[in-house]
Each structure stands twice: as structure tokens, then as C-alpha cells.
Amino acid sequence: MAVTLNAKEQGLAAASVYHNGDVLTMAGDKPVVAAAVVEKNGSIVFIGELDEAKKHAGSDAAYVDLAGATLMPGFIEPHLHPSLAAVMLQNEIIAPYDWKLPSGVKRGVTGQEGFRRRITESIAENAQPDEIYFIWGFHQLWHGSLSREALNQIAGDQPVGVIHRSFHEIYLNDAAIGQLGIIEEDFAANPQVNWEKGHFYEGGWLALVPTMAPAMLQPEKYLQGLAVMSQILQKNGITTIAEPGFPSSNFELEFALLKSEMENEPPYDVYLIPSGTQLYAMKGGNKEAMAFIEGLAISDDFRTKNIRFLPKQVKLFADGAIYSQLMQMVDGYTDGHEGEWMTPLPLFAEQVKMYWDNGYKIHVHANGDLGQQMVIYNVSRLQKDNPRADHRFTLHHMGYFTAAMADQMAAIGMEASVNPYYLWALADKYAEHGLGNKRAENLVALKLLVEREIPLSFHSDFSMAPVEPLTLAWTAVNRTTSQGTKMSQDQRISVYDALRAITIDAARALNLEAEIGSLETGKVANFTILAENPLNVDSMRLKDVEVKAVVHRGALHYNSRR
């Protein structure tokens, strides 16, 4: 790409014209390609033929020659957790698969012996005696068993916390437990804590997180993690992110640190959706949580030019994590273990009714078919008792569901935000352990949703998947696993539908489709510029299409040398 400047180089030009490539608008049910798009003062003022674009741009415009590249709306990540990203990216990563980072690749490891050797080496080389050393990425199906005693043997007096791949669990050794100052009696009433094993999961994890916050949110390291996150977002073409479920542990500190990173003006915006579940505990009740939430979207204390709380939106939690195999399944698990509820069912029913009756768009974390069915039942009951038009109630993640459930969702106006990466990462292993072939092959069966015209967005839930929208789209289009297995090919969706899920339908998931997500006059000038048109490449190459640059609110940011 090349930029031709006249008055623009003195900062006098009011418009930029992008041309000489495919301008993929993502407006409509079928692909529409224009010749040029004009940006002025951070907004789109024209889309169409180049001759007309020149008239709208004016004589002092800058011209950006795409040189055959494809420009499309900026990618949107509607479910990403900066707090988890900051923790993960500042600490050690030892996971089943490779993780690509700006600093290099963190190689994956499998097998108990290999995993324990790697964490032993990492602790010896990097841990500081006076700090808890966190390691993220453990998964029992790849790495075998883990326990407090095993970590005691490996780490000795060094405090260590091994965070599960799901980010819903942690194992602590004696030294870490001592440093945190927790005792068994603190968790005696919590059924999701195995004190003997030093294992805190789901509700146990949520109960522990506020105590761990000072260790996990050390400002200097946390900001380093956020800075790496910003690099990854730009590299992958993302101009908007949303966190459904703010805060993770400490509202004021997490917001202050996020604000500090965003003062560097990275090329993306952040939208926050409060966690009704976490704030219930922090504020002492559901009504108190909602009262606090009501003030966030209008408070100048929690709004900047690139951070905003979305009004009348809330995040709740149903069943456990799919990575932990603690999602609630109708037919249970092949090995006989049971799933978990993140929120006790009576409390969930109380929460969802309160927010529904007060006109909220509700986002719910739900993974297993039983977990989702419970949520669908609640929405059906609420819609009957207190009908709402265009409520946009959205299920998030949706690891495994059925055609009958999709029918129910369509009938009551529910929407879907899913993580297609589950299939790539988990299907082969879960076919052997826990789910069996049929259910594993039909993880995130997206055609069921597309056929019923259920609005569908994709998310990474970073770090549950790499924050790579084209990788998510690739998985949905090809349904190929990490082992190269082709799963339920009848559930593949089209490339265009997959691109909608990372642009205009991702905007809809946040109630922002009037502002971003497609190239239309009056919308924000957020663009992603790709080396190739993703509609024209072989579907197996979709994830490898290069992101050359992003345009954020009219400002062009290259990923590499021009």
C-alpha cells in the first residue's frame, strides 16, 4: 500500500480515500464490493465508485492506494478479558499447544512427565522467592494429574500457582497458600474447593480471586501484559474489543490499569459489560449490584474516549468451563464425573429475572447442553410472563447444543456468541474422554444456528482461543481439528457468514451495529486491510491471510513496513 499526501502532510486534509483494491462492505446478506471508501474526521462519508469518491473527498484529500489489498470493516472481538490477557501474557505459558506471541512462540507440551519437567525448569529459571510464580495452561487430559503435594515436591518453598487452561481453576502449593494467608476454614462451606489438593475451581476460583488480586494485579507486570495484548490485537486486525464480565477481581484497580494502557491510544476501543455475578458478591446483593451498574454508563469516572461501559447490559454465569469438562451435560460424561454450576440455580433465576424485568440485554456464559437448556427455560418463562421485543438475550460459548435447542432459541429471539476454536482444540481428545464421538464431533454446530437465522458472532474469550478472528472463522468454515480430523462437515458454514460473525454480527452482539461492523455512510471509520480477499482464497488458507494494517477512527496503522 502507498499513501499519496498533499495538504494532508501538513495536517490540513479533511478526508482520506482508500482505493485500488476490494472494499468489502459486509453490509447485507450477500457480499458487496465497492471501489473506494472515503473517511473524514474518523467517519465514513462515502462508499462507491472512485470518481464519485473523489468528489466527496475534496481537493485536499489523502489517497491510500490499496495496491490490490482488501479493505473491510475492522474486526470486532465481542468477548475478550483484558484482565486474563494481562495475567496470562505477563506470566509463564505452558499449554498443550503452541501460543504465538510478539516475543516468539511458547511451545506446547503434552504428557505428565514433559509438563512437570517444563514447569520445574521454568520455576528454577524464572521464579522470585518473594512472589507467587503463576503458570498458565495446565490441562489434565494432556498433562496428567496435579496436586498441592506434587507442586510442593517440584517447587519446595517457592510459592507457585498453576492456572488451568480454562482460567476457571488453580492449584496452589503450601508456600502459595501461606503467602496468600488463607486457611481451610475460609472455604469450608465451598463445595468447589479441594483443600487437600490445593485445588480451587469454578465457585472456588471466584471466591479465591479477590484474595489473589494483589499478586495477580501487580501494576508494572500487569501493564506489560496489557501492552502485549495491544500488539496482538493490532496484528490480528481488531479495532474493537468488549469484555463481558468486568471486573475479574478488583474493580477500581483493573479499571485504572486498563485506563493507563488505553491512554497510550492503541488502535482499538474497549467496551465493558459488568459482571452481575461478581458484583453480586462485591456489593452484597443483586439489587445493590444493579444499582451500581446503573451508574457506570453515565459516570465520567468510568468513561474515557476509548473505554465505555455499555448501558443496560450485564453478564451472568450458568455452568462450568468446557476446558475443565465441568459444563453441565444432559447425558453426563462417559467416565461418570459430573459438571458444575457456576451460579446456584435459585440465585441464577433471581438474577436473570431482575435484569430481564429492568430491560437489560443479558449475556450468559453457558457451555453444556444442560447448562444452555437451563438458560433457555428461564428465558422462555420470562418471555411468557413479561414479553420483551428485541431483547437480544445472548448465550456465550455454546460448546455443545442440539437442533431442538436451536429451534427454541429462534422461537424466543435468543442470540449466540460462540467460540468455534473449541472444536479445533478439544474435539479429538473429548471424543476419547468424557463426551464420546458423537457429541465431540458436533461441538459448536454452527450450521444449526445459521439455518435458523439466529444472529451469530464469534469470540476468542481470550485466552480460551488465540485472539485471531480469521482463525475463528477458519475453524467454523472448515471444521478441522488440531489433529487434522474433519468433524461433522455438514455443520460447516460459508466464509461470508463467518466474516459476518467477526464484523457486523459481532457489533450486533454489543448493540453497536449502528456504529461499527460494516462499511456504511455515517459509521465509524474502523477498517481492517488484508493482503487478499478472504472470499477468494482457498478456505484452508483463510487463517493465514495477512493483516497488513488497521484504520482506527480514521487513523492508519501499518503492521509491517510499507
Side-chain angles (χ1 to χ4, degrees):
M1 292 184 298
V3 181
T4 301
L5 298 175
N6 39 54
K8 185 80 170 184
E9 59 191 343
Q10 282 86 38
L12 302 177
S16 298
V17 181
Y18 292 81
H19 67 103
N20 193 27
D22 288 347
V23 176
L24 182 59
T25 70
M26 300 309 297
D29 296 332
K30 296 181 180 179
V32 175
V33 177
V37 60
V38 181
E39 169 275 325
K40 186 174 183 179
N41 297 325
S43 295
I44 298 170
V45 297
F46 177 80
I47 304 163
E49 296 302 319
L50 181 57
D51 287 345
E52 286 296 313
K54 292 178 179 178
K55 296 177 185 178
H56 283 79
S59 60
D60 62 347
Y63 284 79
V64 181
D65 184 348
L66 294 170
T70 292
L71 181 148
M72 60 185 299
F75 293 155
I76 298 168
E77 169 55 80
H79 188 136
L80 174 148
H81 300 289
S83 56
L84 301 190
V87 170
M88 171 192 170
L89 294 170
Q90 65 171 292
N91 288 300
E92 181 63 285
I93 298 171
I94 304 176
Y97 302 118
D98 293 353
W99 277 84
K100 294 181 291 184
L101 303 175
S103 60
V105 177
K106 291 284 188 177
R107 295 297 178 189
V109 62
T110 58
Q112 185 176 78
E113 181 179 348
F115 179 75
R116 293 192 178 188
R117 181 172 61 252
R118 282 278 295 278
I119 65 173
T120 300
E121 293 170 353
S122 180
I123 293 166
E125 293 172 4
N126 303 306
Q128 299 297 316
D130 57 341
E131 298 178 358
I132 299 178
Y133 188 66
F134 291 106
I135 300 170
W136 173 84
F138 166 75
H139 196 294
Q140 65 276 10
L141 294 184
W142 281 265
H143 299 143
S145 64
L146 194 62
S147 67
R148 173 178 176 173
E149 183 55 36
L151 290 179
N152 287 340
Q153 294 174 6
I154 291 169
D157 294 334
Q158 171 63 50
V160 170
V162 175
I163 302 171
H164 194 274
R165 174 70 181 75
S166 65
F167 244 115
H168 282 226
E169 308 180 39
I170 193 169
Y171 289 85
L172 300 174
N173 68 349
D174 285 351
I177 288 171
Q179 183 149 325
L180 290 172
I182 56 176
I183 58 176
E184 184 172 4
E185 286 72 19
D186 296 337
F187 300 91
N190 195 316
Q192 293 168 326
V193 173
N194 186 323
W195 185 259
E196 182 180 355
K197 289 189 174 182
H199 185 201
F200 301 76
Y201 56 97
E202 302 299 358
W205 163 268
L206 292 177
L208 180 65
V209 161
T211 303
M212 287 196 302
M216 300 180 79
L217 274 65
Q218 295 179 34
E220 183 177 354
K221 290 185 176 181
Y222 192 92
L223 288 171
Q224 291 173 0
L226 288 180
V228 175
M229 180 191 76
S230 292
Q231 295 177 47
I232 294 171
L233 293 175
Q234 178 176 331
K235 180 181 179 182
N236 288 286
I238 297 166
T239 56
T240 303
I241 69 170
E243 177 170 21
F246 188 90
S248 172
S249 57
N250 183 313
F251 189 100
E252 287 75 17
L253 182 54
E254 286 179 48
F255 187 86
L257 293 171
L258 179 61
K259 182 179 177 182
S260 179
E261 169 60 18
M262 297 308 292
E263 286 172 350
N264 297 321
E265 299 191 6
Y268 63 92
D269 295 300
V270 178
Y271 294 89
L272 302 175
I273 299 170
S275 171
T277 303
Q278 192 69 282
L279 292 171
Y280 160 80
M282 291 179 171
K283 301 301 178 182
N286 286 319
K287 291 181 179 179
E288 291 81 359
M290 188 172 69
F292 179 75
I293 290 170
E294 290 284 340
L296 291 175
I298 60 175
S299 171
D300 290 338
D301 294 335
F302 298 109
R303 180 188 179 99
T304 73
K305 69 177 183 178
N306 52 15
I307 305 175
R308 176 154 59 105
F309 276 92
L310 290 171
K312 287 288 187 179
Q313 296 195 41
V314 70
K315 168 78 174 296
L316 302 175
F317 292 83
D319 59 334
I322 191 171
Y323 274 101
S324 302
Q325 278 202 357
L326 291 178
M327 66 281 200
Q328 291 281 6
M329 302 297 295
V330 169
D331 294 323
Y333 291 92
T334 58
D335 61 4
H337 84 271
E338 297 181 356
E340 299 284 346
W341 295 109
M342 290 192 69
T343 307
L345 296 185
L347 176 58
F348 180 86
E350 178 185 335
Q351 290 176 334
V352 76
K353 175 176 169 52
M354 182 186 72
Y355 288 111
W356 176 278
D357 288 344
N358 282 277
Y360 275 70
K361 174 178 171 62
I362 303 171
H363 304 259
V364 175
H365 160 114
N367 271 308
D369 54 352
L370 182 60
Q372 293 167 72
Q373 189 64 67
M374 181 275 291
V375 181
I376 293 169
Y377 165 78
N378 273 276
V379 178
S380 298
R381 176 177 53 82
L382 291 166
Q383 185 70 322
K384 180 180 178 180
D385 295 342
N386 180 15
R388 284 179 54 188
D390 198 33
H391 55 77
R392 300 192 178 193
F393 194 114
T394 303
L395 285 177
H396 284 245
H397 311 323
M398 298 185 66
Y400 178 76
F401 56 92
T402 65
M405 294 167 62
D407 286 338
Q408 291 174 306
M409 290 179 63
I412 55 178
M414 293 180 69
E415 305 192 358
S417 184
V418 304
N419 187 341
Y421 191 79
Y422 288 162
L423 181 86
W424 183 89
L426 302 173
D428 292 298
K429 188 70 74 172
Y430 282 17
E432 300 174 8
H433 303 277
L435 295 188
N437 288 328
K438 184 176 180 180
R439 289 184 294 179
E441 288 178 3
N442 286 284
L443 291 174
V444 286
L446 301 178
K447 194 69 172 291
L448 297 179
L449 304 175
V450 172
E451 288 175 337
R452 290 158 178 80
E453 298 183 348
I454 294 172
L456 170 65
S457 64
F458 294 162
H459 63 255
S460 68
D461 191 18
F462 190 69
S463 56
M464 298 308 100
V467 59
E468 300 170 5
L470 288 176
T471 295
L472 300 181
W474 174 88
T475 307
V477 167
N478 295 291
R479 293 189 67 81
T480 300
T481 71
S482 61
Q483 304 305 306
T485 310
K486 293 185 179 299
M487 295 285 194
S488 51
Q489 294 293 285
D490 62 318
Q491 288 302 315
R492 296 174 63 192
I493 66 172
S494 72
V495 174
Y496 188 68
D497 283 333
L499 294 177
R500 283 183 60 91
I502 58 176
T503 55
I504 186 60
D505 287 338
R508 179 189 173 94
L510 306 172
N511 286 358
L512 292 174
E513 73 273 21
E515 301 177 28
I516 56 175
S518 62
L519 305 182
E520 299 179 75
T521 302
K523 288 194 173 184
V524 177
N526 286 350
F527 312 144
T528 296
I529 301 176
L530 305 175
E532 303 170 88
N533 188 328
L535 295 173
N536 297 337
V537 303
D538 184 282
S539 67
M540 288 299 290
R541 288 188 51 239
L542 183 59
K543 64 181 174 61
D544 300 317
V545 173
E546 178 191 359
V547 177
K548 297 179 72 68
V550 297
V551 176
H552 175 247
R553 297 189 177 271
L556 176 61
H557 302 261
Y558 287 95
N559 274 338
S560 58
R561 291 183 179 178
R562 289 174 268 171

